């Protein structure tokens, strides 16, 4: 049971992200996906840019597909680096920060993706969201 | 202000849909979009089929793009009927029930889409969701 | 552990499908996906048509997304039926027989999709494949 | 007969790749395609990342379409180099190592693509796979 991400889990993660975004005064899009990259919960705050609906969701999906935070991919996809061009695979991935895996008892159960602020803000909201995953 | 759909509005609509789905014992996907068809809130209940993530969202988008409930489209897209093939336009639309526009003071402000049950169940949950739109 | 589909599980399912296809003398494409619809094992036998690479995989994905055999969808998507147009959602689904969920201990762990013969042959090979899922 | 890639050939190539991946302790996705770039055999090992389902297949397809190992493309697609932007053609190609053509008697009969480890690991598994092509 604890091996899969429930809707209640996803809502807790989502709401923690929204609360932190409100605290820092930056409207955000927050997406929570399961371990297959399928959407479980999503919210767009008032004033958050619309491009980030897709970007936040794609960050979450990327984190699941790569089993890594999207920020870890940034150096790898630069010109000359090992995975240059990676973003154009697997249906389109995002290689800048804001996507973080959700891990419980060592098992990847999903991911959260945040977008609409600076990358630093997106990452801080994603970290707050991930920290709220019920045990 | 009341002319546009806030995140709080969308959450109220979403949660009313989820509550009704729980009442009738049918896990659902519920999507709420704004008047541009862009996602504002989404939830997938435990056990709801994954195909309906896309179908619920697409029903909501279709309702905005057509300014009509998706159930109204069903007779129009049958072989021989006036809009046969409509579903293949506009990026892909859905012509069976479960998408309903959100209207406030006579203005279309968005739509809700529900999927994972029978069409009758989907429509009843969408109606419960729409009825919860704050005035 | 038994809740997820291992590569060994998928290979057992695949090879049982290939063996049955050889028995009935019909070259087939056989795809095995996990519970997120992600490919785990695939084989195309000599002489099997190439269109069925996609069709077999899509049947398996459809079975996961709909949590149902694709044959069960056939009556539902006909003109005038409840889900007319369903195939055009969720990235493209297939609504004729040959996709069957893999279920272990009551939990959907993936699906198999078979294509290249008649629908009756595809279903019989998919049934043989599913029956080989290790317990 | 020896001019085309049989399923038995593809399985031999696939299994040699899987064996080498197990030896080096890196779970991999391995795809084998024919000379038209159509999938013949595929396997995802337990723990291999899901993004690499697409990447491994795309590496194999790229190797067939370019008649070259994907590692040979890496310098050519960098900013300022001759084929900058190549990856965005032909339906999406991959220009980092792990795809290698299968050649028999001087004739290109297909390709193998490997992904989920470092590029160096991917290449070493692809080389082990290619070496197993029956004569």
């Amino acid at each position: 049971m604890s091996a899969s991400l429930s809707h209640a889990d996803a809502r807790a993660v989502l709401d923690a992200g929204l609360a932190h975004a409100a605290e820092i005064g930056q409207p955000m899009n927050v997406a929570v996906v399961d371990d297959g990259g399928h959407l479980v919960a999503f919210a767009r705050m008032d004033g958050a840019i619309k491009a980030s609906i897709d970007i936040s969701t794609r960050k979450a999906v990327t984190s699941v597909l790569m089993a890594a935070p999207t920020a870890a991919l940034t150096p790898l996809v630069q010109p000359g680096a090992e995975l240059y061009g990676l973003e154009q695979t697997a249906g389109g991935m995002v290689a800048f920060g804001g996507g973080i895996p959700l891990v419980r008892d060592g098992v990847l159960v999903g991911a959260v993706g945040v977008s609409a602020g600076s990358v630093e803000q997106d990452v801080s909201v994603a970290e707050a969201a991930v920290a709220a995953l019920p045990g």
Side-chain angles (χ1 to χ4, degrees), chain A residues 23-60:
Chain A
E23 256 175 62
I24 66 173
Q26 174 58 48
M28 289 289 193
N29 290 266
V30 182
V32 185
V33 303
D34 66 21
D35 67 345
H38 298 288
L39 196 62
V40 182
F42 174 85
R44 174 161 51 104
M45 297 169 72
D46 298 344
I49 56 171
K50 290 166 186 166
S52 290
I53 301 168
D54 180 69
I55 300 170
S56 60
T57 306
R58 214 171 270 276
K59 282 179 180 175

Side-chain angles (χ1 to χ4, degrees), chain A residues 60-69 73 76 83 86 89-90 93-94 101 108:
Chain A
V61 172
T62 300
S63 292
V64 163
L65 295 179
M66 295 298 294
L73 304 175
L76 303 176
L83 301 181
L86 178 75
T89 65
M93 295 200 283
V94 172
L108 186 149

Side-chain angles (χ1 to χ4, degrees), chain A residues 64-129:
Chain A
V64 163
L65 295 179
M66 295 298 294
T70 55
L73 304 175
T74 309
L76 303 176
V77 301
Q78 301 306 313
E82 186 155 303
L83 301 181
Y84 178 55
L86 178 75
E87 317 90 286
Q88 291 154 48
T89 65
M93 295 200 283
V94 172
F96 44 90
I100 303 183
L102 291 163
V103 177
R104 184 157 49 198
D105 300 335
V107 178
L108 186 149
V109 295
V112 64
V114 177
S115 180
S118 66
V119 167
E120 189 183 349
Q121 289 174 316
D122 292 353
V123 169
S124 85
V125 170
E127 288 173 344

